[in-house]
Amino acid sequence: MNIVKAEVVVTSPDRNFVTLKLTTEEGFTGLGDATLNGRELAVVSYLQDHVAPLLIGKDASRIEDTWQFFYRSAYWRRGPVTMAAIAAVDMALWDIKGKAAGMPVYQLLGGASRQGLLAYGHASGSDIPELFDSIRKHLELGFRAVRVQTGVPGLNAIYGIASQSKETGGGEARYDHEPARRGAQPVQEDWDTRSYLRHLPRVFEAVRNEFGPEIPLLHDGHHRMTPIQAAQLGKNLEPYDLFWLEDCTPAENQESLKLVRQHTTTPLAIGEIFNTAWDFKDLIRDQLFDYVRGAVTHMGGITALKKTLDYAAMYQIKSGMHGPTDISPVGMAAAMHLGLAIHNFGIQEYMQHGDRTNQVFEQSFTWQDGLLHPGDKPGLGVSLNIDEAGKYPYQQAYLPFNRLADGTVHDW
Ligand code: KDG
Ligand code: MG
């Protein structure tokens, strides 16, 4: 089952996506997501210049061997660009294996461990009334768990708060709407940790009072706290029984989680910016967190993330795979197949792609009663409409960044 064609498709329907498409001599095709938000073209070059030529003539059925070949033969290990490229190859090979076997990928991974995947949506508001409206809307949409992000008095623009985009001309408010971020320079936002730490527990108190104790609530700290600030926040949020507090400190300093853990029982999620099992290894062994945030797209694919999650399972640490809209529908499908098969599934992030994205990527997943299911089409269940993709060329876009009131750059 040799690979005869390796194409890299860049498209920007609602935001930029990078997709690897492999074709075998029998005519099977496989798709892999290689999207690295804000640095997309680096992965395009890595794939086009260094990976695609080596794929031609390779046996598509040898998934593990191909993974090891690309990881080890590069010599320069790890890093988001390399691992997104390897992830795309790995996903595409699983897709092909599923099509060749006539089975959905989750069957190849051991079959379903549950009926569907509990998914959380992103509720947000610049103030409490707006936040309540957004939570209500998510509950109406069928979400059974919600992430809560809120504006902070005195700050103009912060991570995770929906606003209306220029392009939708005042249509539905979304915080991820990339056209607002398109341009030659990243957008500057502002930050003040003390105001945030004072404000957030009041918001969660109000949300629990309004929506009751049952609904799982999540929050993303997005790497903005020092260890002691994170410890303080985790402790102050304990009465509101969070499902998780995510990325409370910058991930590079893994030791910091020891300090956070000593002070709070609020469950911790970490690792959406990690890219190998090695980034998680010591944290898992020391039981310093509760949910693995790794994305199939950024962790080197299904093969690598499954190994990490199997190791995490030995410590009762569960999955919480990253699933914002910068993970393409192909990457989301891969996450759903993996999440359905593993025993230690925790929750799946699900932000819902826009209509144009859904026209470019035809998908077979279902969303019912708050649960996602990848569907039963052979492979990953996603096909790429090349004509539609061609309508939307790459657009320069960056993630925003933060400055404090005195002008200091801060984690975003
Ligand atoms: O590309 C960056 C986003 O994926 C990230 O900011 C989203 O933190 C995020 C989340 O939890 O979805
Ligand atoms: Mg996050």
Side-chain angles (χ1 to χ4, degrees), residues 114-135:
R114 56 195 53 78
Q115 272 111 40
L117 308 171
L118 176 68
Y120 72 89
H122 284 205
S124 74
S126 54
D127 55 21
I128 288 184
E130 224 178 86
L131 174 64
F132 282 5
D133 287 348
S134 173
I135 295 175

Side-chain angles (χ1 to χ4, degrees), residues 51-358:
V51 172
L54 303 181
L55 280 166
I56 305 304
K58 272 201 168 298
D59 180 354
S61 65
R62 298 181 65 184
I63 299 179
E64 178 71 29
D65 182 73
T66 305
W67 195 96
Q68 298 297 343
F69 169 75
F70 280 109
Y71 187 74
R72 291 172 200 284
S73 71
Y75 186 65
W76 309 108
R77 295 186 187 202
R78 307 160 73 172
V81 175
T82 299
M83 299 313 291
I86 294 177
V89 174
D90 185 77
M91 273 181 245
L93 296 185
W94 278 106
D95 196 16
I96 289 171
K97 196 176 274 301
K99 287 175 183 166
M103 284 185 201
V105 167
Y106 76 83
Q107 290 291 4
L108 305 179
L109 297 173
S113 287
R114 56 195 53 78
Q115 272 111 40
L117 308 171
L118 176 68
Y120 72 89
H122 284 205
S124 74
S126 54
D127 55 21
I128 288 184
E130 224 178 86
L131 174 64
F132 282 5
D133 287 348
S134 173
I135 295 175
R136 272 189 209 103
K137 196 177 146 217
H138 279 81
L139 297 177
E140 280 160 22
L141 281 171
F143 282 100
R144 291 197 211 153
V146 283
R147 188 182 92 153
V148 169
Q149 302 296 130
T150 166
V152 173
L155 299 182
N156 295 320
I158 65 169
Y159 165 78
I161 309 302
S163 62
Q164 278 158 343
S165 82
K166 290 176 221 151
E167 206 175 67
T168 53
E172 187 205 354
R174 291 182 68 118
Y175 95 82
D176 66 320
H177 216 287
E178 194 205 58
R181 309 294 192 196
R182 285 177 179 173
Q185 290 290 325
V187 171
Q188 183 180 315
E189 300 190 341
D190 47 1
W191 186 246
D192 180 295
T193 311
R194 291 192 68 229
S195 310
Y196 165 76
L197 293 179
R198 265 197 317 275
H199 186 61
L200 198 68
R202 292 184 211 146
V203 171
F204 273 91
E205 183 183 20
V207 171
R208 278 288 177 223
N209 287 342
E210 181 74 11
F211 295 95
E214 283 302 323
I215 179 158
L217 298 176
L218 302 86
H219 178 73
D220 192 346
H222 224 248
H223 326 272
R224 289 169 300 195
M225 285 165 274
T226 64
I228 200 68
Q229 289 168 339
Q232 188 189 339
L233 181 66
K235 200 167 168 178
N236 290 342
L237 290 175
E238 277 170 24
Y240 313 114
D241 186 26
L242 265 62
F243 186 95
W244 80 34
L245 171 61
E246 175 187 343
D247 287 332
C248 57
T249 59
E252 306 85 307
N253 178 12
Q254 300 206 336
E255 289 282 308
S256 63
L257 290 181
K258 278 193 189 147
L259 192 146
V260 180
R261 207 51 153 179
Q262 278 160 12
H263 289 281
T264 181
T265 56
T266 293
L268 303 176
I270 200 143
E272 71 181 32
I273 61 168
F274 290 1
N275 45 65
T276 70
W278 299 98
D279 300 327
F280 282 106
K281 180 178 76 70
D282 295 352
L283 295 180
I284 292 173
R285 183 202 56 207
D286 296 343
Q287 304 184 70
L288 294 179
F289 73 120
D290 305 279
Y291 294 94
V292 173
R293 287 286 288 144
V296 179
T297 306
H298 301 134
M299 281 284 295
I302 293 172
T303 300
L305 185 52
K306 182 166 190 312
K307 288 179 189 177
T308 310
L309 290 169
D310 287 345
Y311 179 50
M314 296 174 71
Y315 296 87
Q316 294 172 284
I317 295 171
K318 296 184 184 209
S319 74
M321 284 177 251
H322 195 211
T325 46
D326 47 284
I327 301 293
S328 89
V330 179
M332 282 302 292
M336 289 183 221
H337 285 278
L338 182 56
L340 197 67
I342 56 173
H343 177 251
N344 57 328
F345 170 78
I347 199 164
Q348 177 61 53
E349 182 179 20
Y350 175 43
M351 268 189 83
Q352 302 185 311
H353 287 110
D355 293 342
R356 283 184 298 216
T357 299
N358 292 334

